[in-house]
Amino acid sequence: MATAAAASLQYALHGAATASAKPRSAAPGRSVRVAAARRSVRARGGAVVARAAASADATAESKSGGHEVLLFEALREALIEEMKEDPTVCVFGEDVGHYGGSYKVTKGLAEMFGDLRVLDTPIAENSFAGMGVGAAMKGLRPIVEGMNMGFLLLAYNQISNNCGMLHYTSGGQFKIPIVIRGPGGVGRQLGAEHSQRLESYFQSIPGLQMVACSTPYNAKGLMKAAIRSENPVVLFEHVLLYNLKEKIPDEEYICCLEEAEMVRPGEHVTILTYSRMRYHVMQAAKTLVNKGYDPEVIDIRSLKPFDLHTIGNSIKKTHRVLIVEECMRTGGIGASLRSAIIDNFWDYLDAPIMCLSSQDVPTPYAATLEDATVVQPAQIVAAVEQICQ
């Protein structure tokens, strides 16, 4: 059913792309344009992504220009650039069209690309996630937005049984180049159901890649790389980071989906973190430096697979590890990361790995109780002092 709907949508999207182009012969022009776009996407994907990402940080530093954007604006820029480049890129979700998305990531896209490429859906997550999978099977590159990542639990069947596995179960006949994205994490008194962290839910699904953005720079770079990827990618955005401002390059760039980011070099302890906790860690790092400690901070960014090369090189230098996450302690990203470090770098550790995670309780609505469930900078400082004794 999802595939049939996707086929109909694919025909409509390609027709809309042709109608908006300069006058040309109808069917041949459309097919040539789409085929060329697909070849371009394939050429720009894969190894090109990895090579370009390796020089992305250096490029950002070397260019004196750039422009300041908020994180949600950086995501929007990535969508616009990729949709202009490739007519097979489209967006599905609740209120993504003329309303512009719950956090305005898709603001103005419906006016730019039309209602068929920026498709408002009913409140039916399982249905439109399935339509996204079917569209990807038929050659489109859909971006499925969950208005809140917690709502995507209703689409878990499509994400796990179809999105992650169809490439394998079809014997390689189908690729699923889909991006699933949206806001999550503990916000400001959003209540338990709107404060979900689904990283731990999705990490065990075979076939999925997972990344978490934390700055406007890596938000744009990761979004563009995810759209170009031939694999299904889940992009986690934190609800409290959308208004974070940063200067990003005017030139095109992408970030590698499998690479961690060295945020602060150090010698005494490796602190591994991602998303919002990056800022709690950096706040704690200021206190630690004043106390004579020299922490190395790594934003792991790639939640699946882990960048064990970067992580391992740091551990071989510091010999101590602290993991800081907003995910739940039981079965969370930190638990998987701790296991990977023990399996691969046990001989380099001089102290037990410590992991600071959120409490295994529903997130309270009351602000003081909400803060108590999430790791705070003072806890990070105390943990480093304990590890370095």
Side-chain angles (χ1 to χ4, degrees):
M1 188 172 181
T3 306
S8 176
L9 178 66
Q10 182 192 37
Y11 177 83
L13 287 182
H14 289 174
T18 305
S20 63
K22 295 180 179 179
R24 64 182 75 185
S25 56
R30 181 183 67 207
S31 61
V32 168
R33 181 183 178 190
V34 172
R38 287 175 180 162
R39 287 195 299 271
S40 174
V41 168
R42 286 195 293 268
R44 291 182 290 126
V48 175
V49 170
R51 289 196 299 271
S55 62
D57 291 336
T59 301
E61 292 175 0
S62 64
K63 300 293 183 181
S64 58
H67 58 286
E68 278 196 341
V69 292
L70 302 175
L71 190 143
F72 81 88
E73 293 172 330
L75 292 167
R76 181 174 173 273
E77 281 189 11
L79 289 174
I80 291 172
E81 290 175 12
E82 294 303 304
M83 292 181 77
K84 285 181 176 178
E85 178 72 19
D86 183 357
T88 67
V89 178
C90 52
V91 180
F92 303 160
E94 299 152 351
D95 288 335
V96 298
H98 293 282
Y99 184 70
S102 54
Y103 291 91
K104 302 306 176 188
V105 173
T106 57
K107 182 180 179 181
L109 267 63
E111 289 77 12
M112 296 174 69
F113 300 104
D115 293 342
L116 290 177
R117 291 188 69 191
V118 186
L119 185 65
D120 277 323
T121 65
I123 303 174
E125 285 80 3
N126 192 55
S127 297
F128 67 73
M131 186 168 68
V133 174
M137 292 172 68
K138 296 295 291 184
L140 301 182
R141 290 183 175 271
I143 301 152
V144 174
E145 175 182 314
M147 183 180 288
N148 182 282
M149 289 299 272
F151 301 164
L152 290 179
L153 289 175
L154 296 166
Y156 194 82
N157 171 59
Q158 292 288 353
I159 296 170
S160 60
N161 285 325
N162 292 329
C163 183
M165 299 187 188
L166 269 172
H167 180 65
Y168 171 77
T169 56
S170 70
Q173 295 180 75
F174 294 110
K175 294 178 180 178
I176 315 295
I178 187 173
V179 179
I180 299 171
R181 54 154 296 270
V186 178
R188 288 281 184 264
Q189 295 183 270
L190 298 180
E193 293 180 351
H194 289 69
S195 302
Q196 293 273 37
R197 287 131 289 175
L198 298 189
E199 304 95 298
S200 60
Y201 289 71
F202 292 142
Q203 67 172 328
S204 61
I205 299 175
L208 285 187
Q209 281 190 269
M210 303 197 310
V211 290
C213 60
S214 54
T215 69
Y217 179 83
N218 66 39
K220 181 176 181 179
L222 290 172
M223 173 70 89
K224 290 173 73 71
I227 293 171
R228 299 179 187 188
S229 175
E230 297 296 334
N231 299 312
V233 179
V234 181
L235 173 60
F236 292 97
E237 304 156 14
H238 200 286
V239 68
L240 291 183
L241 299 183
Y242 279 125
N243 288 324
L244 193 69
K245 183 180 285 188
E246 183 185 28
K247 180 178 282 190
I248 65 174
D250 294 326
E251 298 80 10
E252 183 181 37
Y253 69 92
I254 54 177
C255 296
C256 181
L257 294 174
E258 294 86 24
E259 281 188 3
E261 177 186 350
M262 178 66 68
V263 181
R264 183 190 188 280
E267 299 289 339
H268 294 161
V269 60
T270 298
I271 305 180
L272 304 174
T273 189
Y274 65 93
S275 191
R276 176 197 176 194
M277 286 296 109
R278 167 176 175 153
Y279 298 95
H280 283 211
V281 168
M282 291 307 293
Q283 187 177 338
K286 295 177 183 178
T287 303
L288 289 167
V289 169
N290 291 336
K291 292 189 172 191
Y293 297 98
D294 186 18
E296 179 152 292
V297 179
I298 295 175
D299 183 343
I300 62 173
R301 290 199 314 202
S302 176
L303 308 185
K304 184 183 179 182
F306 296 129
D307 178 5
L308 292 179
H309 176 74
T310 300
I311 292 169
N313 286 341
S314 178
I315 293 171
K316 291 173 184 178
K317 177 173 61 174
T318 66
H319 307 292
R320 293 173 174 82
V321 180
L322 171 63
I323 302 169
V324 181
E325 62 176 347
E326 194 179 85
C327 199
M328 300 299 186
R329 182 171 185 81
T330 301
I333 295 297
S336 296
L337 186 54
R338 190 205 303 245
S339 176
I341 291 170
I342 290 173
D343 287 346
N344 291 278
F345 308 110
W346 172 261
D347 290 341
Y348 296 97
L349 295 171
D350 289 344
I353 302 170
M354 289 191 68
C355 184
L356 299 178
S357 312
S358 292
Q359 300 296 314
D360 285 335
V361 297
T363 304
Y365 175 78
T368 52
L369 295 177
E370 182 181 68
D371 286 344
T373 67
V374 178
V375 178
Q376 300 298 327
Q379 294 171 269
I380 300 170
V381 172
V384 170
E385 290 177 329
Q386 181 179 339
I387 292 174
C388 294
Q389 281 181 350

